[in-house]
Amino acid sequence: MKKDPASANFLPLYEQIKRLITRGLAEGEWPPGEAIPSEMELARRYQVSQGTVRKAIDELVKENYLVRRQGKGTFVATHADDGTAYRFLHLFPLEGEREYPHSRFIGFGRGKADAPLAKRLSVRPGSGVVILRRVLEFSGKPVVYDDIRLPVALLKGISSAMIEDHVNAHKGTLYSLYETRYAIRIVSAQERICAALADEISAPLLNVAIGSPLLCIERVAFSYNLQPVEWRKSYINTENYYYFDELN
Amino acid sequence: MKKDPASANFLPLYEQIKRLITRGLAEGEWPPGEAIPSEMELARRYQVSQGTVRKAIDELVKENYLVRRQGKGTFVATHADDGTAYRFLHLFPLEGEREYPHSRFIGFGRGKADAPLAKRLSVRPGSGVVILRRVLEFSGKPVVYDDIRLPVALLKGISSAMIEDHVNAHKGTLYSLYETRYAIRIVSAQERICAALADEISAPLLNVAIGSPLLCIERVAFSYNLQPVEWRKSYINTENYYYFDELN
DNA sequence: GTCCACATGTCTTATATAAGACATGTGGCC
DNA sequence: GGCCACATGTCTTATATAAGACATGTGGAC
């Protein structure tokens, strides 16, 4: 435990504790949904004061890694939780109450990562990827077409049946599937948003005319320590829905 | 100062301090760029401990209201600062280094707020608004067309010459203009993003064909306490630039 | 067996203390 | 006058303490 501020690679104690806790999370010592040890216990374990652990946890809570529940303990955040299941879906109806989509899977296969995808996923070009295609329907109408790709190495033994079961029967999101079946927790994502026109593939799926304007969003989703896990490209019909962003 | 947690409208002390400091900021007691009093001084003034003030300031720093500079003091954040001037511009080139735009103003006038705009700006329908139109050029090429509207009451005596001077001669952003000339600081914004097609107005301004895909972003910018200040609609040619969003 | 009071464990808020780092101004030395 | 050492003020990090709030389990009274 480095405590000398003069040291070249000095890190504040709370930052070191943050990393130690994050390591525990990444290694699955405390799986999503479970409680981590109490602040006092972690303080003893890492040989620092409880206040330092508190500061580390405070930050991890702000980063959505952990969730505090007063009187009960501190828990590992999870997508298998109604409140946060659609945290990454920034799509809202132009009119009326917020709705959540139904997934209709239209393709499941395997392929190889080309150079750009390999770069985004930090894998070797040519390495195997799982390919998923689906349409998100709001109130029964198609709004989003997704092309989703993940390193096959992360999802050993995945099958279209398993996905359908989890997502449709079990009402889960893909991110909760990664969590419960593959112990991979998505904690952040980056999106690049462009405008595009509906083509022969997307137009019929979204039930719009070819040449209609669509949002095109390329997302890379990350697990702990910014490790890329999933790439996806979404085509969105924004006739009745908009993408919401809050700037601070 | 309420300290009784049993009270119905109980607020933690640090939260009360946060609001008191925010009030000082909103009322211009400490203008953008200036230092606020030291933690000890604020503690004396508000009759709480220095640690409580610290927690309040910590949060205000995370919300970009304040900036800490070790050894110097804590300062009111400002857009008139190279580092944060383009904090709200989420546009990046598909290739190459980040660039910053040049503003070309193409319209300046006044009008009345229709019902939707009035609602967004929290003003009476029919009340006066200033209307600004401009094109943002990156590397000399038009990429964004902005239609910007603000309550005229907030911008007494504004003129196109003043804007041109501030933005072009002085290299400032609109938000730094609001700050320096009108003591209005923009601290947050909400954006609704849709896909659209270039029409007879936007196409020539952006130098694209009618029917080209554009991003259409409707933004409302807020000052302290979520007070709406500015509405704008941006049309963006995303052939060479993308909108970036980070999800956490 | 059921229900309530109480103890216990945990997070929440508030306060106090102290050593160190960083920036700046002041006074003295040359 | 120029330069340096030092004091001062400020933020930064770490630790300790304590009263309260919330959730849960336990044991006794009935």
Side-chain angles (χ1 to χ4, degrees):
Chain A
M1 194 110 335
K2 286 184 193 64
K3 290 195 184 186
D4 177 15
S7 160
N9 53 354
F10 168 75
L11 269 185
L13 255 192
Y14 74 84
E15 186 61 44
Q16 298 178 41
I17 302 306
K18 231 177 113 176
R19 296 190 183 192
L20 289 170
I21 296 175
T22 302
R23 189 199 294 173
L25 294 171
E27 290 176 350
E29 180 172 356
W30 309 299
E34 299 274 291
I36 65 170
S38 75
E39 296 179 349
M40 282 306 299
E41 215 163 318
L42 290 171
R44 274 194 299 277
R45 168 163 170 180
Y46 298 129
Q47 292 294 299
V48 296
S49 83
Q50 176 261 4
T52 303
V53 171
R54 162 164 289 265
K55 175 144 182 174
I57 291 180
D58 275 347
E59 301 217 341
L60 291 171
V61 167
K62 284 208 184 81
E63 292 167 30
N64 292 308
Y65 284 29
L66 300 174
V67 176
R68 288 181 183 283
R69 297 203 192 113
Q70 177 169 164
K72 302 186 72 172
T74 302
F75 297 76
V76 184
T78 168
H79 292 283
D81 175 8
D82 283 7
T84 56
Y86 290 98
R87 191 156 58 84
F88 286 180
L89 180 67
H90 281 202
L91 226 46
F92 294 81
L94 281 168
E95 311 277 335
E97 284 291 290
R98 176 158 198 198
E99 313 160 53
Y100 296 101
H102 167 75
S103 281
R104 191 160 54 79
F105 283 88
I106 56 176
F108 175 84
R110 285 162 204 245
K112 298 204 173 301
D114 58 13
L117 177 61
K119 192 181 168 199
R120 293 265 191 269
L121 289 177
S122 292
V123 296
R124 246 186 19 266
S127 59
V129 290
V130 173
I131 304 175
L132 285 165
R133 293 181 215 274
R134 68 170 181 188
V135 170
L136 295 185
E137 299 176 337
F138 290 75
S139 309
K141 291 186 186 160
V143 176
V144 182
Y145 162 52
D146 278 330
D147 177 343
I148 301 170
R149 304 180 182 215
L150 306 89
V152 71
L154 292 177
L155 301 178
K156 299 230 155 108
I158 198 167
S159 69
S160 87
M162 178 195 294
I163 298 171
E164 301 258 0
D165 174 67
H166 180 89
V167 172
N168 292 330
H170 213 259
K171 289 258 174 201
T173 64
L174 276 182
Y175 290 174
S176 71
L177 170 72
Y178 304 159
E179 235 176 51
T180 53
R181 303 290 177 111
Y182 298 99
I184 298 170
R185 177 162 163 77
I186 302 296
V187 297
S188 67
Q190 295 180 350
E191 301 195 320
R192 295 169 177 223
I193 307 179
C194 289
L197 299 180
D199 60 15
E200 310 76 37
I201 296 175
S202 51
L205 289 169
L206 295 176
N207 203 16
V208 296
I210 288 178
S212 302
L214 301 177
L215 276 192
C216 172
I217 304 184
E218 188 187 329
R219 173 194 288 181
V220 180
F222 302 89
S223 187
Y224 299 112
N225 301 315
L226 266 185
Q227 187 187 62
V229 170
E230 179 210 67
W231 174 95
R232 63 169 72 176
K233 199 156 198 170
S234 303
Y235 296 89
I236 306 175
N237 173 10
T238 57
E239 262 175 87
N240 299 304
Y241 296 84
Y242 62 88
Y243 181 100
F244 183 74
D245 191 13
E246 185 121 34
L247 313 184
N248 283 299
Chain B
M1 196 112 330
K2 287 184 193 65
K3 290 197 183 188
D4 178 13
S7 160
N9 53 354
F10 168 74
L11 268 186
L13 255 192
Y14 74 85
E15 185 62 43
Q16 298 178 42
I17 303 306
K18 231 177 112 176
R19 297 191 181 190
L20 288 170
I21 295 174
T22 302
R23 189 199 295 173
L25 294 170
E27 290 174 352
E29 179 170 357
W30 309 299
E34 300 275 290
I36 65 170
S38 75
E39 296 180 348
M40 282 307 298
E41 217 162 315
L42 289 171
R44 274 193 299 276
R45 166 164 171 177
Y46 298 128
Q47 291 296 297
V48 296
S49 81
Q50 176 262 1
T52 302
V53 171
R54 161 162 290 264
K55 175 143 183 173
I57 292 180
D58 275 347
E59 300 216 344
L60 291 171
V61 166
K62 287 213 181 77
E63 291 167 30
N64 292 308
Y65 284 29
L66 300 173
V67 176
R68 287 181 185 284
R69 297 204 194 112
Q70 176 168 164
K72 302 187 72 174
T74 301
F75 298 77
V76 184
T78 168
H79 292 283
D81 173 10
D82 283 8
T84 54
Y86 290 98
R87 191 156 58 82
F88 285 179
L89 180 66
H90 280 202
L91 226 47
F92 294 82
L94 282 167
E95 312 276 334
E97 285 291 291
R98 177 158 199 199
E99 313 159 53
Y100 296 101
H102 167 75
S103 281
R104 189 160 54 77
F105 282 87
I106 56 177
F108 174 85
R110 286 160 203 247
K112 298 203 172 302
D114 59 13
L117 177 60
K119 190 180 169 199
R120 293 265 190 268
L121 289 178
S122 293
V123 296
R124 244 185 21 267
S127 59
V129 291
V130 173
I131 303 176
L132 286 165
R133 294 181 215 273
R134 69 169 181 189
V135 170
L136 295 184
E137 298 176 338
F138 290 75
S139 309
K141 293 187 185 158
V143 176
V144 181
Y145 162 53
D146 278 329
D147 177 341
I148 302 171
R149 305 181 180 213
L150 306 89
V152 70
L154 293 177
L155 301 178
K156 298 225 155 108
I158 198 166
S159 69
S160 92
M162 177 196 294
I163 298 171
E164 301 259 357
D165 174 67
H166 180 90
V167 172
N168 293 329
H170 212 260
K171 289 258 175 205
T173 63
L174 275 183
Y175 290 174
S176 71
L177 170 72
Y178 303 160
E179 235 176 53
T180 52
R181 304 287 178 113
Y182 298 98
I184 299 170
R185 178 163 161 75
I186 302 294
V187 297
S188 67
Q190 294 180 351
E191 299 194 322
R192 295 170 178 222
I193 308 179
C194 289
L197 299 179
D199 60 14
E200 310 77 38
I201 297 175
S202 52
L205 289 169
L206 296 176
N207 203 16
V208 295
I210 288 178
S212 302
L214 300 178
L215 276 192
C216 173
I217 304 184
E218 187 187 328
R219 174 194 288 182
V220 179
F222 302 89
S223 188
Y224 300 111
N225 300 315
L226 267 184
Q227 187 187 60
V229 170
E230 181 209 64
W231 174 94
R232 63 169 71 176
K233 199 156 197 168
S234 302
Y235 296 89
I236 306 175
N237 172 9
T238 57
E239 261 175 86
N240 299 304
Y241 296 84
Y242 61 87
Y243 181 99
F244 183 73
D245 189 13
E246 184 120 35
L247 313 182
N248 283 301

